[in-house]
Amino acid sequence: MQESNVDLLIIGAGPSGLMCANALAGRGFNVRVVDKRAVGVVAGQADGIQPRTHEILQSYGLMERLLREGVEIHRNAFYNPGPSGGIERIERTAAISQPTARYPFTMCRHQGGTENFFIDAMRPKGLEVERSTVPTVLELSADSGSSELRDPAAYPVKVVLQHLDRTENDREVVHAKFVLGTDGAHSWVRKAMGIKMDGGHTEFVWGVVDFFPDTDFPDIRARTVIHSIHGSILVVPREGDLVRLYVQLSDVDLKLVDKQTNRVDKGQASPEKLIETAAKILQPYYLRALGDVQWWTVYIIGQRVAEKFSVEDRILIAGDACHTHSPKAGQGMNASMGDTHNLAWKLAYVLRGWADMSLLRTYEAERRKFAQDLIEFDKVWSTLFSGKPRTAQHDDGVTHEATLSAFRRFGGFSSGIGIRYAPSIIVENKHQDCASKLIVGERMIPHVFIHTADAKPVNIHDLLPADTRFKIVVFVADVTTDVGAVPLRGLAERLTAESSFLRRFGHGNHLDVFDILCITSAERDKVDYTDVPEVFRSHWSKVLVDDIDYAGRSGGGGFAAYGIDPKSGAIVVVRPDGYVGTVAPLDRVEDINAYFSGFML
Amino acid sequence: MQESNVDLLIIGAGPSGLMCANALAGRGFNVRVVDKRAVGVVAGQADGIQPRTHEILQSYGLMERLLREGVEIHRNAFYNPGPSGGIERIERTAAISQPTARYPFTMCRHQGGTENFFIDAMRPKGLEVERSTVPTVLELSADSGSSELRDPAAYPVKVVLQHLDRTENDREVVHAKFVLGTDGAHSWVRKAMGIKMDGGHTEFVWGVVDFFPDTDFPDIRARTVIHSIHGSILVVPREGDLVRLYVQLSDVDLKLVDKQTNRVDKGQASPEKLIETAAKILQPYYLRALGDVQWWTVYIIGQRVAEKFSVEDRILIAGDACHTHSPKAGQGMNASMGDTHNLAWKLAYVLRGWADMSLLRTYEAERRKFAQDLIEFDKVWSTLFSGKPRTAQHDDGVTHEATLSAFRRFGGFSSGIGIRYAPSIIVENKHQDCASKLIVGERMIPHVFIHTADAKPVNIHDLLPADTRFKIVVFVADVTTDVGAVPLRGLAERLTAESSFLRRFGHGNHLDVFDILCITSAERDKVDYTDVPEVFRSHWSKVLVDDIDYAGRSGGGGFAAYGIDPKSGAIVVVRPDGYVGTVAPLDRVEDINAYFSGFML
């Protein structure tokens, strides 16, 4: 059998695997991605993309395409049974209530469309998915605690791959430094490693159907929760005038579930029946399908999290392989992509020999906690959703107030904006006070600043691309006066000293590892980009001012939004994944040095 | 020789010809585009793209790409001689001062890059440029006033084309309904038709050079006007860190000009000499070129307008073939694209038999007036620019105040935003009062409204694509009350009556000719898109509300911005090129009928 070595073998080319593959493509790593499917997903499946995921996609330059191809959902609507027996609207609200979301809406794009964002971005960087390929053997060659496992240059994982589209020479051996299993809820990798799933299945059975509707229902283009006396549905607008309906199946339909496998017998259901049920629930409005149904399925909600996310930090799992939950809050694809966005830069640092293997431990710590929270959220949400509405006959039913209150309470969570990673070697909040609103462990808050050199307004998120570099963002008082200029000169000296992390962990050219931005509270028209010491202007675009743009449409108030005293300033360290790693006063470079010493080599 | 028929033959594939070609591509017309150059422009040439042109590009779906590939210029800076002999900054100002500009900045992209926007958009619509092809014969076969000339289905123009890249069968005869000459300042088409240019040449000789600068000059990324005791330069930032300098040549260099041809002997100049001159002017700042110069030229400013823009409305000229002027106000490519954006839909209507041939007369009327105004503007601007700065020695020199005042005075003009077409068969302002700020003959003012169905904020410009359709935009009071509902029902009846322009000029399906939008002053969460009569909702996205979006970031105040009384409403007719054609009260559909009767068949 042919044998070869790779840095990273990714098994499963869904959103989770592709997020990781694209993040590492073209960066000098030897990465392969295999998938058992002969072709990609063409319709249906996961579709909801939440605000934090928009920001992550933007950090890879992919958001422009999502905006073009996906559908924006700005509104939630809620319906309950009315006095006449038909449904009536209770309320319309914003789909997203997080004020700092850069993109204040949720989006939908069918899973295959989202996968293509990555596939098309990877191709020019020389990485393509190898399809019709499955692993048949997966082994860790070294014992726990062995030196081989601690050596990031070793190839301790052996995988046998089978190419289903070949009749001879269909098997090969791959020796990998790391293997990532992103092969879905029924993950072969997870099972091969004997990783257990904690949790169980609910008793809620739902059907989901994508089609073009003909209807007089006025909220068909909102994300609409409908409780009726005939059951419940969730309406989710889809791209290109499609609509997705999640239809709660009746108790009778529960017989479709095989109690052993918790799988649903799809043969007993049909999309026509789902739409018929939905039409009954939607009364007094009418609903018909135009043309063929695009995609449909029936499922029972599982709520489970893997007991661990890796074996020895060499064989890692992510996405649906780690966690399954209800699709109705639109979280699945987001959690999956979030996993590998979190993991990719850590793998890059370890593979380059820049960081200790212990950095990989933070992947499980950060993402398993998130997955557990997700299940808790999902339990509340699914129960509310599947419960009967409160009516005269059911005074123990679910009230609209309970639904809405849950919706708001979990808004930060479901949008992804509110995710906060706990203190660790890469989350250090001892100086939180110096940037009181930039919560260490949360994502950097987007805000518009102005280029000092050309007065162009730019969202700071666009200066924080997911390029595997840490971003050192220095906020400083007006540099045209001594209040700003003096401390900035002092900082420049400390940053260029022997002891500085730039020198110690910069690997020759510190700009390969760290990008440096400088934001001053000076006035837009009075400061020059040449007013800051050279270390802060590797390029003219790296010097910014917290002021409004010429058109008066954006910018200004950044120091206040971040809780940074304009007189004192602050150093903000943004991780390669866009999360605030630590903050410190301008005169505490030693604490930044200590932060990086905690995991960098 | 091979003979063939075409609807339209475009001679010259610069920005002007390509704008027209792309506008008509894929719409069922038989169009050919030929160009003498074997390859497109690869660097330099025209580059400035102004705010109105951004809006026009957006109406063709091309602005996203310009934003990605071009450079935004937000700032002007002005320098004069300082007391020490070197230059010093007088002021920084906004590059664009028009408050309604959708994109409040100017942009640069080299001409070939801009041409590629069109070439790449045309290709999937089946239209490609035929290169290395020149016309050698151009004849109008019919006499003035003949019935053939009045018949839009006739082919009265004969062109012989020569294919320079063929050794045999290199000539062919093309019979065209229309020919468009967009073959530049030395237009063969113009000369073949004997069309004279009015105006002359200035005495100002300038050099222009594109290069990567190494400099400590802080305004190298602004559009900077520098008057020094050593001469004047204009700095224009370019994409990818390039900079363009326009360098005024000294009186000595005037000897480079051939007084007969008004062409400059480029052999006597060099880019090194231009940069050396610029470096002297920039003192006390230093300036050097990094690497090779990208492009350069030397030229004398001509300020001329063609005496007419067509021969019998069958052979038309546009762009530099019609008007030449100084490049320093960044107008050239904009005026050229504006010409054919104005012309394309008129050709479409005549070719389809939807409008009378007289519609084409408005092309020259609207665009020749604009070109004449452009020359007047350019004369003032060039003189100020080329004049010596006022100093102790030159108290008759140009003051900064004079420069800045001219800059502001002509801001509406140079941005393209302020262009106003005079009353004509397609510009009817008798009811101007009912939308007092939507000036008839000016471009529709961009504003964000909210989709009634899904609460998505959308700029009205995105609902007015350059798809050759007239847009009928109905502004109406709150349709959930009788104040709005009653007049809207009345309007619906009149619009669907036999006498309505929708019936008379709708060619079977009025949506092929007219798109209809309805904007109500109702509250976002209280109105349904199903609340308006069917004629106003060909799609759910056609019904909008003048209210703020859920995030509170855009929308609201549209009736006020347009000067429309929210109680009375108004009908606004937007031409296919985005200019307001006419406005009328809701109960004056007969005046809209009369407007379209003036030129539609």
Side-chain angles (χ1 to χ4, degrees):
Chain A
M1 275 194 284
Q2 189 193 323
E3 301 205 10
S4 61
N5 289 351
V6 295
D7 291 335
L8 173 66
L9 174 67
I10 299 173
I11 298 170
S16 189
L18 291 170
M19 167 66 82
C20 187
N22 178 58
L24 298 178
R27 301 197 176 279
F29 303 111
N30 182 354
V31 178
R32 286 177 66 180
V33 195
V34 301
D35 195 279
K36 70 178 173 189
R37 294 167 298 183
V39 293
V41 173
V42 295
Q45 309 259 16
D47 63 353
I49 308 182
Q50 304 299 344
R52 175 55 193 155
T53 309
H54 303 163
E55 296 174 357
I56 291 172
L57 289 172
Q58 174 64 10
S59 75
Y60 291 98
L62 301 175
M63 186 58 189
E64 196 177 273
R65 182 162 167 193
L66 176 59
L67 285 169
R68 199 163 51 228
E69 296 184 7
V71 65
E72 297 175 18
I73 302 175
H74 291 260
R75 172 181 276 160
N76 288 335
F78 299 91
Y79 284 72
N80 264 1
S84 63
I87 58 169
E88 62 175 29
R89 184 163 64 222
I90 306 296
E91 191 171 14
R92 283 168 164 170
T93 66
I96 296 298
S97 53
Q98 278 51 58
T100 71
R102 179 169 184 189
Y103 307 93
F105 43 81
T106 183
M107 290 193 76
C108 278
R109 175 85 180 110
H110 85 80
Q111 181 177 327
T114 303
E115 290 172 3
N116 284 338
F117 298 170
F118 297 113
I119 289 170
D120 293 342
M122 281 157 50
R123 192 174 297 122
K125 294 185 277 187
L127 184 54
E128 301 215 36
V129 176
E130 302 170 50
R131 296 202 170 274
S132 301
T133 303
V134 293
T136 58
V137 174
L138 176 62
E139 294 170 358
L140 200 57
S141 64
D143 292 334
S144 183
S146 69
S147 63
E148 188 183 359
L149 282 185
R150 288 197 306 272
D151 174 12
Y155 294 88
V157 195
K158 179 185 166 188
V159 188
V160 176
L161 291 179
Q162 182 180 5
H163 298 279
L164 303 174
D165 52 354
R166 296 182 196 167
T167 50
E168 48 188 274
N169 297 322
D170 66 333
R171 279 160 200 265
E172 62 165 318
V173 177
V174 177
H175 300 282
K177 291 176 179 169
F178 298 93
V179 164
L180 175 62
T182 44
D183 48 349
H186 303 286
S187 172
W188 182 92
V189 172
R190 183 187 72 222
K191 288 172 189 162
M193 290 296 101
I195 298 173
K196 298 272 183 302
M197 293 295 274
D198 297 333
H201 284 83
T202 64
E203 295 198 338
F204 307 126
V205 179
W206 288 76
V208 51
V209 55
D210 291 349
F211 65 107
F212 293 98
D214 170 19
T215 182
D216 59 350
F217 180 61
D219 283 305
I220 195 73
R221 300 307 303 172
R223 187 169 58 180
T224 303
V225 178
I226 302 169
H227 284 120
S228 85
I229 56 174
H230 302 292
S232 298
I233 54 174
L234 171 67
V235 177
V236 182
R238 295 288 309 273
E239 60 271 34
D241 284 354
L242 272 174
V243 159
R244 167 169 289 188
L245 297 183
Y246 288 95
V247 184
Q248 185 179 25
L249 298 186
S250 68
D251 295 347
V252 178
D253 298 312
L254 283 177
K255 291 176 195 151
L256 304 178
V257 182
D258 178 329
K259 294 291 178 195
Q260 291 304 311
T261 62
N262 276 309
R263 293 207 185 195
V264 181
D265 180 3
K266 202 173 159 181
Q268 301 289 317
S270 77
E272 292 73 24
K273 198 176 156 198
L274 292 176
I275 293 170
E276 196 181 295
T277 305
K280 202 168 165 192
I281 291 169
L282 263 184
Q283 287 168 24
Y285 302 101
Y286 76 87
L287 173 72
R288 290 185 286 262
L290 287 169
D292 292 340
V293 161
Q294 300 291 302
W295 182 80
W296 75 284
T297 193
V298 177
Y299 63 92
I300 184 164
I301 299 172
Q303 292 168 324
R304 308 195 299 162
V305 180
E307 58 178 349
K308 57 182 183 176
F309 280 22
S310 90
V311 175
E312 300 286 350
D313 294 327
R314 289 296 192 163
I315 299 170
L316 304 112
I317 54 175
D320 288 356
C322 299
H323 40 72
T324 65
H325 42 85
S326 134
K328 282 186 305 302
Q331 293 302 312
M333 192 158 61
N334 298 271
S336 295
M337 292 192 281
D339 284 348
T340 46
H341 174 61
N342 180 286
L343 176 62
W345 70 271
K346 298 171 182 176
L347 282 171
Y349 275 58
V350 170
L351 282 168
R352 285 174 180 150
W354 289 357
D356 189 79
M357 280 286 291
S358 62
L359 179 60
L360 293 177
R361 283 280 81 209
T362 65
Y363 162 62
E364 179 177 299
E366 294 186 335
R367 296 305 297 182
R368 188 161 184 273
K369 169 71 166 57
F370 168 74
Q372 287 170 321
D373 293 347
L374 185 57
I375 302 301
E376 290 314 304
F377 158 67
D378 194 51
K379 282 180 180 167
V380 175
W381 187 239
S382 294
T383 304
L384 281 171
F385 206 87
S386 298
K388 285 206 184 301
R390 180 173 296 187
T391 59
Q393 289 74 40
H394 294 278
D395 60 3
D396 59 344
V398 176
T399 63
H400 171 60
E401 287 66 34
T403 306
L404 198 62
S405 148
F407 201 85
R408 289 193 174 134
R409 184 152 47 96
F410 290 111
F413 191 81
S414 61
S415 68
I417 301 291
I419 292 174
R420 184 184 303 183
Y421 295 134
S424 70
I425 53 170
I426 52 172
V427 176
E428 166 55 74
N429 62 5
K430 68 190 268 195
H431 293 298
Q432 180 69 71
D433 288 352
C434 73
S436 60
K437 294 179 181 171
L438 279 182
I439 307 302
V440 176
E442 292 195 1
R443 72 89 160 86
M444 184 71 174
I445 297 173
H447 195 87
V448 172
F449 296 94
I450 310 294
H451 278 164
T452 305
D454 69 358
K456 177 181 171 175
V458 57
N459 196 304
I460 195 168
H461 271 207
D462 292 334
L463 303 175
L464 307 173
D467 59 3
T468 79
R469 295 193 292 178
F470 276 85
K471 313 302 184 304
I472 313 301
V473 190
V474 174
F475 291 85
V476 63
D478 185 347
V479 293
T480 65
T481 71
D482 281 352
V483 184
V486 170
L488 197 63
R489 273 201 301 273
L491 179 60
E493 273 167 33
R494 288 187 293 278
L495 284 176
T496 50
E498 280 287 346
S499 59
S500 159
F501 64 95
L502 293 186
R503 302 281 289 271
R504 288 170 60 201
F505 309 119
H507 295 274
N509 177 5
H510 69 252
L511 291 173
D512 290 342
V513 188
F514 305 100
D515 196 17
I516 304 176
L517 301 169
C518 182
I519 302 179
T520 171
S521 64
E523 281 179 56
R524 181 190 63 202
D525 287 339
K526 294 194 176 161
V527 61
D528 294 331
Y529 79 97
T530 47
D531 287 340
V532 304
E534 248 183 287
V535 69
F536 302 112
R537 48 181 166 103
S538 60
H539 188 262
W540 55 262
S541 62
K542 303 298 179 183
V543 187
L544 299 119
V545 60
D546 182 25
D547 204 344
I548 57 167
D549 68 37
Y550 278 116
R553 298 182 193 176
S554 61
F559 279 71
Y562 289 172
I564 298 174
D565 181 341
K567 286 204 195 65
S568 333
I571 307 171
V572 176
V573 175
V574 183
R575 301 176 1 174
D577 56 2
Y579 287 75
V580 179
T582 192
V583 297
L586 294 190
D587 59 358
R588 294 302 292 268
V589 172
E590 64 268 29
D591 288 324
I592 307 288
N593 291 335
Y595 171 80
F596 285 111
S597 303
F599 59 95
M600 300 271 291
L601 297 173
Chain B
M1 277 195 280
Q2 190 193 323
E3 302 204 11
S4 61
N5 289 351
V6 296
D7 290 336
L8 172 66
L9 175 67
I10 299 174
I11 297 171
S16 189
L18 291 169
M19 166 67 81
C20 185
N22 177 59
L24 298 178
R27 300 197 177 279
F29 303 110
N30 182 355
V31 178
R32 286 177 67 182
V33 194
V34 300
D35 195 279
K36 68 177 174 189
R37 295 167 298 182
V39 293
V41 173
V42 294
Q45 309 259 19
D47 63 353
I49 308 181
Q50 303 299 344
R52 175 55 193 155
T53 309
H54 304 163
E55 295 173 359
I56 291 172
L57 289 172
Q58 174 64 10
S59 75
Y60 291 98
L62 301 175
M63 186 57 190
E64 197 177 271
R65 181 163 168 194
L66 176 59
L67 286 169
R68 198 163 53 229
E69 297 184 7
V71 64
E72 297 175 17
I73 301 175
H74 291 260
R75 172 182 275 161
N76 289 334
F78 298 91
Y79 284 71
N80 264 1
S84 63
I87 57 169
E88 62 175 31
R89 184 163 65 222
I90 307 296
E91 191 170 14
R92 283 168 163 170
T93 66
I96 296 298
S97 53
Q98 277 52 57
T100 70
R102 179 170 184 189
Y103 306 94
F105 42 81
T106 183
M107 291 193 75
C108 279
R109 175 84 180 110
H110 85 78
Q111 180 176 326
T114 304
E115 289 171 3
N116 284 339
F117 297 169
F118 297 113
I119 290 170
D120 293 344
M122 280 158 50
R123 193 174 296 122
K125 293 185 277 188
L127 184 54
E128 301 215 36
V129 176
E130 303 170 49
R131 297 202 171 274
S132 302
T133 303
V134 294
T136 58
V137 173
L138 176 63
E139 294 168 358
L140 199 57
S141 65
D143 292 332
S144 181
S146 70
S147 64
E148 188 182 1
L149 282 185
R150 288 196 308 272
D151 175 10
Y155 294 88
V157 194
K158 179 185 168 188
V159 187
V160 176
L161 291 179
Q162 182 180 4
H163 298 278
L164 304 174
D165 53 354
R166 296 183 196 168
T167 51
E168 49 188 274
N169 296 324
D170 66 334
R171 280 162 201 265
E172 62 165 318
V173 177
V174 176
H175 300 281
K177 290 177 180 169
F178 297 93
V179 165
L180 174 61
T182 45
D183 48 350
H186 303 287
S187 171
W188 182 91
V189 173
R190 184 187 71 222
K191 289 171 189 163
M193 290 295 101
I195 298 173
K196 298 271 182 304
M197 293 294 273
D198 297 332
H201 284 82
T202 65
E203 296 198 338
F204 307 126
V205 179
W206 288 75
V208 51
V209 55
D210 290 350
F211 65 106
F212 292 99
D214 170 19
T215 183
D216 60 350
F217 180 60
D219 282 305
I220 196 73
R221 300 307 303 172
R223 187 169 59 179
T224 303
V225 178
I226 301 170
H227 284 120
S228 86
I229 55 173
H230 303 292
S232 296
I233 55 176
L234 171 67
V235 177
V236 182
R238 295 290 306 273
E239 61 270 35
D241 284 354
L242 272 174
V243 159
R244 167 168 290 189
L245 297 184
Y246 289 94
V247 183
Q248 185 180 25
L249 298 185
S250 68
D251 296 345
V252 179
D253 298 311
L254 283 176
K255 291 176 194 151
L256 303 179
V257 182
D258 178 330
K259 294 291 179 194
Q260 291 303 310
T261 62
N262 275 309
R263 292 209 183 194
V264 181
D265 179 4
K266 202 174 160 181
Q268 302 288 319
S270 78
E272 292 74 24
K273 198 176 156 200
L274 292 176
I275 293 171
E276 195 181 296
T277 304
K280 202 168 164 192
I281 292 169
L282 263 183
Q283 288 169 22
Y285 302 102
Y286 76 87
L287 173 72
R288 289 186 287 265
L290 287 170
D292 293 339
V293 160
Q294 300 290 301
W295 183 79
W296 74 285
T297 195
V298 177
Y299 63 91
I300 184 165
I301 300 172
Q303 292 169 324
R304 308 194 300 162
V305 180
E307 57 178 349
K308 57 182 183 176
F309 280 21
S310 90
V311 174
E312 300 285 351
D313 294 327
R314 288 296 192 164
I315 299 170
L316 304 113
I317 54 175
D320 289 355
C322 298
H323 40 72
T324 65
H325 42 85
S326 135
K328 284 186 304 302
Q331 293 302 312
M333 193 157 63
N334 298 272
S336 294
M337 291 191 283
D339 284 347
T340 46
H341 174 61
N342 180 286
L343 176 62
W345 71 271
K346 298 171 183 176
L347 282 171
Y349 274 58
V350 170
L351 282 168
R352 285 173 179 150
W354 289 358
D356 189 80
M357 279 285 291
S358 63
L359 179 60
L360 293 177
R361 282 281 82 208
T362 65
Y363 162 62
E364 178 178 297
E366 294 186 334
R367 297 305 296 180
R368 188 161 183 272
K369 170 69 166 58
F370 168 74
Q372 288 171 321
D373 292 346
L374 185 56
I375 301 303
E376 290 314 304
F377 158 66
D378 193 51
K379 282 181 181 168
V380 175
W381 186 240
S382 294
T383 303
L384 281 171
F385 206 88
S386 298
K388 285 203 184 304
R390 180 173 297 187
T391 59
Q393 288 74 42
H394 294 279
D395 61 1
D396 59 345
V398 176
T399 64
H400 171 60
E401 288 66 33
T403 305
L404 198 62
S405 149
F407 201 85
R408 289 193 174 135
R409 185 151 48 96
F410 289 111
F413 191 82
S414 61
S415 69
I417 300 292
I419 292 175
R420 184 185 302 182
Y421 295 134
S424 70
I425 54 171
I426 53 173
V427 176
E428 167 54 74
N429 63 6
K430 69 190 266 196
H431 293 299
Q432 179 69 73
D433 288 352
C434 74
S436 60
K437 293 179 182 171
L438 279 181
I439 306 302
V440 176
E442 292 195 1
R443 71 90 161 85
M444 183 71 174
I445 296 173
H447 195 87
V448 172
F449 296 94
I450 310 294
H451 278 163
T452 306
D454 69 358
K456 176 181 173 175
V458 58
N459 196 304
I460 194 168
H461 271 208
D462 292 334
L463 303 175
L464 307 172
D467 59 3
T468 79
R469 294 194 292 178
F470 275 84
K471 313 302 183 303
I472 313 300
V473 191
V474 174
F475 291 85
V476 63
D478 185 348
V479 294
T480 65
T481 72
D482 281 352
V483 184
V486 170
L488 198 63
R489 273 200 301 273
L491 179 60
E493 274 166 33
R494 287 187 293 278
L495 283 177
T496 49
E498 281 286 345
S499 59
S500 159
F501 63 94
L502 292 186
R503 301 281 288 271
R504 289 170 58 200
F505 309 118
H507 295 274
N509 178 3
H510 69 253
L511 291 174
D512 290 343
V513 189
F514 305 100
D515 196 16
I516 304 176
L517 302 170
C518 183
I519 302 178
T520 170
S521 63
E523 280 179 57
R524 181 191 63 203
D525 287 339
K526 295 195 175 160
V527 60
D528 294 331
Y529 78 96
T530 47
D531 287 340
V532 304
E534 249 183 286
V535 69
F536 301 113
R537 47 180 168 104
S538 60
H539 188 262
W540 55 262
S541 62
K542 304 297 180 185
V543 187
L544 299 117
V545 61
D546 182 25
D547 204 344
I548 57 167
D549 68 38
Y550 278 117
R553 297 183 194 176
S554 61
F559 279 71
Y562 291 171
I564 298 173
D565 181 341
K567 287 204 195 67
S568 334
I571 307 170
V572 176
V573 176
V574 182
R575 301 177 359 176
D577 56 2
Y579 287 75
V580 180
T582 192
V583 297
L586 294 189
D587 59 359
R588 295 302 292 267
V589 171
E590 63 268 32
D591 288 323
I592 308 287
N593 291 335
Y595 171 80
F596 285 111
S597 304
F599 60 95
M600 301 269 294
L601 297 172

